Amino acid sequence: MKDFEVKTKIYFGDDALAHLGELKTDRVFIVADPFTVSSGLIDHITNPLKKNDISYSIFSKVVADPPVEVVIAGVKEALACKGHYIVAVGGGSAMDTAKGIAYYTGLPMVIVPTVCATDAPCSSLSVMYTDEGVFDAYLFLDNCPNVVIVDSEIIARAPARLLVAGMGDAMATYF
């Protein structure tokens, strides 16, 4: 595995995704929910990588309430891909899946939320479920994601109901 140096950073604003091209690597493993892939949002993620000659593999088997089996499948694909970062793109399920993959591979995480519905982008916790969608376990990661990239143009396109859900999540977390 290639050595890497990552400092925890948060990028926010229009065109924040350009910072993906600054990763010191030649290969990443992207974990994206199916909507991100089918809607074309994934192109916003892959374009800065292509521009900087960073190759990638995309794992889009993300499901709501990710079961451990999906995470294990992602671990196998991430190891086969030989990427140097796990890049999560999408909502909470994509982030939980990516965090689980990062946890089991020991790779650093880059989080790119497409909605503001949870505190998942910055937390060092991943929730795992059974195949039936029943809570299974918490994975307590050693650190928060290494890089969080919040592109305000993408967030602004998200449904308003998810922004409201994020406000509720923040209040529940606070109390």
Side-chain angles (χ1 to χ4, degrees):
M1 191 177 332
K2 186 176 178 179
D3 289 335
F4 54 85
E5 178 183 298
V6 179
K7 296 179 182 174
T8 301
K9 292 186 177 184
I10 297 176
Y11 298 102
F12 180 85
D14 290 344
D15 202 32
L17 288 173
H19 292 286
L20 273 173
E22 297 172 7
L23 294 174
K24 296 178 181 179
T25 186
D26 59 355
R27 186 155 191 76
V28 299
F29 185 71
I30 299 172
V31 177
D33 58 45
F35 175 78
T36 299
V37 175
S38 67
S39 69
L41 271 176
I42 196 70
D43 295 336
H44 294 281
I45 306 306
T46 58
N47 287 340
L49 298 173
K50 290 176 189 174
K51 188 175 181 179
N52 290 282
D53 296 321
I54 299 172
S55 60
Y56 56 87
S57 292
I58 299 174
F59 179 81
S60 62
K61 298 174 186 162
V62 174
V63 296
D65 302 329
V68 174
E69 289 77 12
V70 170
V71 172
I72 298 304
V75 167
K76 289 177 183 176
E77 286 190 34
L79 293 173
C81 152
K82 298 184 180 180
H84 303 117
Y85 292 86
I86 304 296
V87 179
V89 184
S93 294
M95 289 179 227
D96 274 344
T97 302
K99 287 178 186 181
I101 294 168
Y103 177 85
Y104 289 114
T105 62
L107 293 171
M109 292 176 287
V110 177
I111 303 287
V112 182
T114 56
V115 297
C116 286
T118 70
D119 58 0
C122 296
S123 72
S124 60
L125 175 72
S126 180
V127 183
M128 296 290 104
Y129 298 86
T130 65
D131 282 337
E132 295 78 31
V134 176
F135 169 80
D136 185 31
Y138 290 120
L139 293 180
F140 294 98
L141 295 96
D142 293 333
N143 55 288
C144 292
N146 304 87
V147 179
V148 177
I149 300 175
V150 182
D151 192 297
S152 54
E153 184 179 329
I154 290 174
I155 297 297
R157 293 182 192 168
R161 66 181 173 78
L162 296 177
L163 177 61
V164 173
M167 292 175 190
D169 183 67
M171 290 172 48
T173 301
Y174 178 78
F175 291 106

